[in-house]
Amino acid sequence: MISFYCVILEGYCCQETGYKLFSLTMVDKLDCFHESAETPDVYIVERLFSSSLVVVVSISMPQRMNIYHFKKGTEICNYSYPNKILAVKLNRQRLVVCLEDSIYIHNIKDLKLLKTLLNTPSNPSGLFALSVNHSSSYLAYPGNATIGEIIVYDANNLSRVTMIPAHDSPVAALAFNTAATKLASASERGTIIRVFSIPEGLRLFEFRRGMKRYVSINSLSFSPDSQFLCASSNTETVHIFKLEQVGPSGGDESATWTAYMGKMFSAASSYLPAQVSGIMTQDRAFATVHLLPSGQRNACTLAIIQKLPRLLVATANGHLFIYNVDAQDGGECMLAHKHRLFGGDDDSDGREWSEATRPAQAFPTYAATAALPACTPLTATLTGYSEDGGAKKGEVIPEHEFAAGPVCLDDENEFPPVSIQNC
């Protein structure tokens, strides 16, 4: 069964600190299986799929990345960087850290620093994407600070793949599909979302989110089968686009209203100026969601829960909305359930909160775990590495579950967590 894991930073809520890990396997059941308050000012948390490895960065030490085995309550190692860490992402092969003007690539198996990309274009938001496919660890990041160029980098072979001229204005959002064969992007204007082939960098799809106003795209996410792409922004609407090529006319295709309108626009576009025809041939949203609280920072994803497609939207004020998606006809998605992730128990719209508001099961703290005597002697050690690759003075790190061989996850079909960062 595929579980949906999300990391919600309680730094968004002034009343609470730390972070929680949730597991979602049923629409109406959200389980908090880990809660940590050891680092009170966390602003970045990333978990390696369903494993016990988590990466944490705190406001008090923004240049330091700590890697923990959260089930054991132990620290695996830590790295320090010359400037503030803006984003961290990881897959089965690589751990990537993004600063404003540089990117660091680590090997996930022993956490050694493999490559440093220096003097990258100014990236104050720490925007980049890392594919989850272990055989194709592609990295995408802005290639220019003033126009929408995207650099695609092979993090496995440590070589540049291509440069994609994606938009006229700077890039604001990036996302790979699960197979690392597609890359979605949006610019700072937020009106056009484009999908490119990887590694070729050819444009496959172009979707228009809106025409009346510019918006800030908060997140992009493909569905597990890469048939749909969702996009959330600072507006009240979440858009879901369908990735389907318009093929030769057939009986089934011509029977739908959208197919008929698509053919009509395609025929008319040949008689119109290029700018107008380009707008007419851009696909509109297949399905939409109108959020009750608009303007909140949020993250969205598409997942299969209880064998049905769902849209999940986590907001910065501690809510998780789950919507049903009609994969056949699209349209307005219906709210299936709403969970409270953190914060107070009050509910402004009068609805009853889910079990997620109940106190989480008590877990031993890091200090308590470290004080316990070791049950078995250590059989191996892994030297800790600093930013420049040198060993930490006199310190060794206990062998962890990824040191001896390939990364083994609890479920190879797991998808990465949705993370909200408070930078």
Side-chain angles (χ1 to χ4, degrees):
M1 179 180 295
I2 294 178
S3 300
F4 174 78
Y5 290 94
C6 58
V7 179
I8 302 297
L9 303 190
E10 295 191 347
Y12 270 106
C13 179
C14 298
Q15 299 176 352
E16 296 182 88
T17 57
Y19 69 90
K20 295 179 181 180
L21 297 175
F22 296 91
S23 175
L24 179 62
T25 54
M26 300 179 66
V27 170
D28 58 351
K29 186 175 178 61
L30 182 67
D31 295 320
C32 177
F33 61 89
H34 178 72
E35 181 174 2
S36 173
E38 288 296 311
T39 307
D41 52 357
V42 172
Y43 72 96
I44 293 177
V45 171
E46 288 286 343
R47 184 186 182 201
L48 180 61
F49 299 93
S50 60
S51 74
S52 54
L53 187 149
V54 292
V55 178
V56 178
V57 183
S58 67
I59 296 175
S60 60
M61 292 184 289
Q63 297 173 240
R64 176 169 153 171
M65 172 184 69
N66 297 84
I67 303 175
Y68 296 101
H69 189 299
F70 76 84
K71 291 181 181 178
K72 295 180 180 178
T74 57
E75 181 183 79
I76 297 172
C77 66
N78 62 75
Y79 277 79
S80 293
Y81 301 88
N83 296 304
K84 178 181 179 180
I85 299 171
L86 299 178
V88 178
K89 296 185 186 298
L90 58 167
N91 62 20
R92 296 181 180 94
Q93 297 292 332
R94 298 291 182 256
L95 185 153
V96 181
V97 179
C98 181
L99 312 186
E100 183 172 354
D101 58 359
S102 58
I103 295 175
Y104 295 78
I105 303 174
H106 297 260
N107 184 21
I108 197 68
K109 195 162 72 171
D110 54 15
L111 301 174
K112 291 182 180 179
L113 179 63
L114 299 177
K115 182 74 173 181
T116 303
L117 303 178
L118 296 173
N119 301 317
T120 56
S122 178
N123 185 10
S125 64
L127 173 65
F128 78 98
L130 179 67
S131 65
V132 299
N133 189 300
H134 66 281
S135 61
S136 302
S137 292
Y138 289 120
L139 170 68
Y141 60 93
N144 195 298
T146 58
I147 59 176
E149 294 180 350
I150 301 171
I151 300 297
V152 179
Y153 189 88
D154 188 337
N156 279 350
N157 298 316
L158 305 177
S159 60
R160 178 166 163 168
V161 177
T162 188
M163 188 281 290
I164 303 174
H167 303 274
D168 293 332
S169 55
V171 179
L174 292 166
F176 284 103
N177 68 334
T178 305
T181 57
K182 295 181 177 68
L183 174 68
S185 69
S187 72
E188 289 182 350
R189 295 181 179 179
T191 55
I192 300 296
I193 297 170
R194 295 189 171 106
V195 178
F196 302 90
S197 66
I198 299 297
E200 301 83 6
L202 303 177
R203 186 188 302 182
L204 300 176
F205 301 94
E206 185 169 283
F207 303 106
R208 176 163 288 275
R209 192 213 57 80
M211 296 177 62
K212 294 183 179 179
R213 52 179 172 171
Y214 293 163
V215 302
S216 298
I217 299 294
N218 288 330
S219 65
L220 294 172
S221 180
F222 286 91
S223 61
D225 61 2
S226 301
Q227 295 299 307
F228 299 94
L229 173 68
C230 64
S232 67
S233 67
N234 60 341
T235 69
E236 69 282 357
T237 306
V238 178
H239 296 79
I240 301 176
F241 304 97
K242 191 171 185 178
L243 281 66
E244 58 179 357
Q245 298 286 0
V246 179
S249 59
D252 294 337
E253 186 179 328
S254 60
T256 64
W257 170 252
T258 55
Y260 171 77
M261 292 300 295
K263 292 178 181 178
M264 184 186 72
F265 282 138
S266 296
S269 62
S270 60
Y271 300 99
L272 297 171
Q275 184 175 4
V276 178
S277 64
I279 295 176
M280 294 183 69
T281 55
Q282 291 161 355
D283 293 329
R284 302 308 197 270
F286 171 77
T288 56
V289 162
H290 289 86
L291 302 175
L292 295 178
S294 60
Q296 296 263 355
R297 190 177 181 185
N298 55 54
C300 66
T301 192
L302 291 161
I304 301 296
I305 303 176
Q306 295 176 277
K307 299 182 179 181
L308 294 175
R310 319 281 186 175
L311 172 72
L312 297 96
V313 182
T315 61
N317 63 350
H319 295 164
L320 175 65
F321 298 91
I322 305 176
Y323 296 88
N324 295 328
V325 179
D326 188 335
Q328 297 298 323
D329 300 324
E332 183 71 18
C333 299
M334 299 300 295
L335 179 65
H337 205 84
K338 181 171 63 172
H339 295 278
R340 185 75 152 184
L341 300 172
F342 61 85
D345 294 331
D346 57 317
D347 186 0
S348 58
D349 61 5
R351 299 189 184 187
E352 188 173 342
W353 294 111
S354 70
E355 293 182 354
T357 56
R358 298 180 183 177
Q361 179 182 355
F363 294 92
T365 64
Y366 169 68
T369 304
L372 295 175
C375 298
T376 57
L378 294 175
T379 58
T381 57
L382 175 68
T383 304
Y385 287 85
S386 63
E387 176 201 349
D388 59 359
K392 293 164 63 179
K393 295 181 179 179
E395 295 185 24
V396 293
I397 301 169
E399 180 183 25
H400 61 96
E401 60 195 274
F402 308 130
V407 176
C408 297
L409 305 179
D410 297 340
D411 183 352
E412 286 296 314
N413 292 320
E414 284 293 347
F415 289 91
V418 168
S419 61
I420 297 182
Q421 300 178 6
N422 187 18
C423 297

